[in-house]
Amino acid sequence: MMTPTTARVSSRFALRARMTGAILRYSRRRAGRTVPECANWLGLSPAEYERYELGQSALSLPEAEVLADALRVPVSAFWAHSLPEIPVVDTARLI
């Protein structure tokens, strides 16, 4: 049985997953990448990857790190509270 506190926490996780998914989709499109490309980077099927963008599954930190590197955005962008102007990171200059 779900208590009121558990329901609130569950609801917050669902909202956070949807927000992260929207930011992920925004970042992918901005980078000019496709769903199959992103899925391949994570070793997932395109349908499994789309669950992240739809907010139906939560992105893990290691997955966020892989995607941030591939999409050239800071990993913190996936936990923003809105769709800010996300800077593109020039990873070649970091090496």
Side-chain angles (χ1 to χ4, degrees):
M1 182 172 175
M2 194 176 282
T3 67
T5 301
T6 306
R8 280 194 307 274
V9 169
S10 179
S11 150
R12 287 184 187 146
F13 283 136
L15 176 60
R16 181 74 252 171
R18 287 193 305 275
M19 290 171 66
T20 301
I23 294 167
L24 180 58
R25 177 170 285 178
Y26 171 83
S27 299
R28 175 182 59 77
R29 288 178 174 169
R30 186 167 178 257
R33 299 300 186 163
T34 65
V35 167
E37 285 176 311
C38 291
N40 186 50
W41 293 326
L42 297 179
L44 302 172
S45 72
E48 290 172 314
Y49 172 81
E50 280 193 319
R51 292 181 54 81
Y52 291 135
E53 287 194 1
L54 296 172
Q56 296 170 346
S57 292
L59 195 61
S60 72
L61 180 57
E63 290 168 326
E65 290 172 333
V66 167
L67 290 171
D69 184 52
L71 299 175
R72 299 180 43 199
V73 298
V75 72
S76 61
F78 299 130
W79 284 278
H81 293 286
S82 62
L83 295 175
E85 181 58 33
I86 299 171
V88 174
V89 177
D90 184 0
T91 54
R93 293 182 56 190
L94 297 176
I95 297 175

